[in-house]
Amino acid sequence: MTILVVGSAAFDDIETPFGRAEHVLGGSSIYFSAAASLFAPVNLVSVVGTDMPPDAYGFLAQRGVDMRGLQVEPGATFHWSGRYDYDLNQTITLATDLNVYAGFNPVLPAEYAESDFVFLANIQPELQLAVLEQTVAPRLTMMDSMNLWIQTDRDAVERVMRRVDMVSINESEARMFAGSSSVITAARRILALGPKAVLVKKGEYGVVLFTADDYFAVPAYPLEEVFDPTGAGDSFAGGFMGYLAQAESLDAGTLRRAAVYGSAVASFTVQAFGVERLKSLTRAEVEERCREFRRLTEVGEI
Ligand code: AMP
């Protein structure tokens, strides 16, 4: 089973209480691919400017990520600058420069069209739709978004939601989208648009999976030191969808286990700045952390 991802590829400037990283590789499609490629083959669709050295993303090709859908355009790569204070759940965006995204026309290489799983990572919703249009009968589609697009292009975000099987969204963005302070009400409103599952990401408090007849909560792995939460959401989605792509079925138990795998991968991402920890991460390390998750949540007979 192959996974198609469209999303941003970026130069990020990140500041946390523990340090700063400037002009480092980031972007939603990059974090997602680094995580998902631990489980299944990934086809990437994104754009970088001529200022991005190919060496920066070479590790993805080494992991087997198909980069034929990565366009290189004259100009500057998408740039995001963000800051976190001691509450690492709160991302403060300082700058978003679309640069080469402003004129991006995502054209899928012919080999990508029949990808089995599709992840529409955070990017302009119109671009998510343009990619969805070019896919042929995927088994499962999932989208992510963020406050910027919910505020500036809500209709398009909703149009994407109506067309996908699953939505992954931050807690505060779910509330903003649904106009409700209750996350449960927000998830129900998104489910009512058509998706079969909604994953609400709650940062250091974990993730909740909502379907019509299931509610499942996974705690975040208890780390004493979180250096940089950037990319936690995208690498969660990569671990989640990667696990599904290599599973035998998509039943309720498999979705629950996928949420644990996603949480395990994300817990590594935040232990270093940018994609550094994901570069060296192995499947065996993820498996070991999943076993720890199991021990953490085991309650025995009640
Ligand atoms: P997250 O997993 O939510 O922490 O995503 C972090 C990544 O999202 C960063 O590497 C940014 O480059 C990227 N990003 C930030 N803002 C946007 C945006 N408006 N559109 C697409 N990607 C973005």
Side-chain angles (χ1 to χ4, degrees):
M1 294 284 171
T2 53
I3 305 174
L4 170 71
V5 58
V6 60
S8 57
F11 276 129
D12 286 347
D13 294 329
I14 306 162
E15 195 182 328
T16 82
F18 314 104
R20 51 187 300 137
E22 276 177 19
H23 219 56
V24 292
L25 177 68
S28 53
S29 74
I30 301 292
Y31 281 102
F32 178 91
S33 307
S37 58
L38 291 168
F39 300 86
V42 175
N43 297 327
L44 181 136
V45 177
S46 196
V47 63
V48 291
T50 36
D51 57 346
M52 172 76 78
D55 281 359
Y57 48 82
F59 74 100
L60 292 174
Q62 279 164 17
R63 284 262 183 91
V65 176
D66 191 323
M67 309 291 282
R68 281 176 289 184
L70 179 69
Q71 298 177 20
V72 181
E73 297 294 340
T77 300
F78 173 77
H79 168 247
W80 176 75
S81 154
R83 183 165 66 81
Y84 307 85
D85 290 329
Y86 280 97
D87 177 0
L88 294 169
N89 279 0
Q90 209 54 51
T91 312
I92 303 158
T93 292
L94 302 174
T96 301
D97 306 310
L98 292 182
N99 298 334
V100 287
Y101 271 107
F104 181 45
N105 176 22
V107 179
L108 261 58
E111 298 83 355
Y112 285 18
E114 293 186 22
S115 302
D116 306 286
F117 288 74
V118 176
F119 184 62
L120 308 171
N122 180 22
I123 195 175
Q124 293 100 303
E126 295 293 351
L127 296 179
Q128 295 178 317
L129 285 168
V131 164
L132 208 50
E133 293 290 338
Q134 298 170 62
T135 60
V136 182
R139 266 192 92 192
L140 191 145
T141 55
M142 180 158 98
M143 58 106 52
D144 191 57
S145 196
M146 74 177 292
N147 50 6
L148 176 66
W149 310 123
I150 296 169
Q151 282 158 344
T152 60
D153 207 355
R154 192 185 181 290
D155 283 359
V157 172
E158 186 172 319
R159 264 185 284 138
V160 188
M161 284 185 180
R162 288 183 183 280
R163 295 199 39 191
V164 293
D165 300 312
M166 294 190 182
V167 172
S168 95
I169 190 163
N170 286 345
E171 181 180 30
S172 59
E173 290 156 5
R175 289 200 183 104
M176 180 189 284
F177 178 81
S180 165
S181 61
S182 159
V183 172
I184 296 177
T185 303
R188 295 273 164 250
R189 288 196 181 145
I190 295 172
L191 286 174
L193 298 175
K196 300 279 176 289
V198 178
L199 289 150
V200 179
K201 299 171 285 182
K202 295 154 89 75
E204 66 175 301
Y205 304 112
V207 172
V208 181
L209 166 67
F210 293 87
T211 63
D213 41 32
D214 199 14
Y215 172 99
F216 178 61
V218 190
Y221 186 73
L223 293 167
E224 206 160 321
E225 289 181 322
V226 171
F227 281 100
D228 172 18
T230 310
D234 301 306
S235 49
F236 166 82
F240 178 86
M241 197 173 248
Y243 180 79
L244 293 183
Q246 47 93 76
E248 308 261 294
S249 81
L250 297 175
D251 62 12
T254 309
L255 294 189
R256 285 176 167 226
R257 281 188 289 281
V260 173
Y261 273 81
S263 303
V265 175
S267 73
F268 284 105
T269 306
V270 303
Q271 286 187 286
F273 270 91
V275 292
E276 278 318 302
R277 185 62 183 92
L278 283 172
K279 281 186 185 170
S280 62
L281 186 61
T282 65
R283 179 70 186 264
E285 288 175 312
V286 176
E287 296 293 342
E288 176 52 30
R289 194 155 281 185
C290 285
R291 286 191 287 276
E292 288 181 47
F293 266 94
R294 196 174 165 178
R295 283 194 290 276
L296 278 174
T297 51
E298 176 67 64
V299 292
E301 288 287 314
I302 291 183

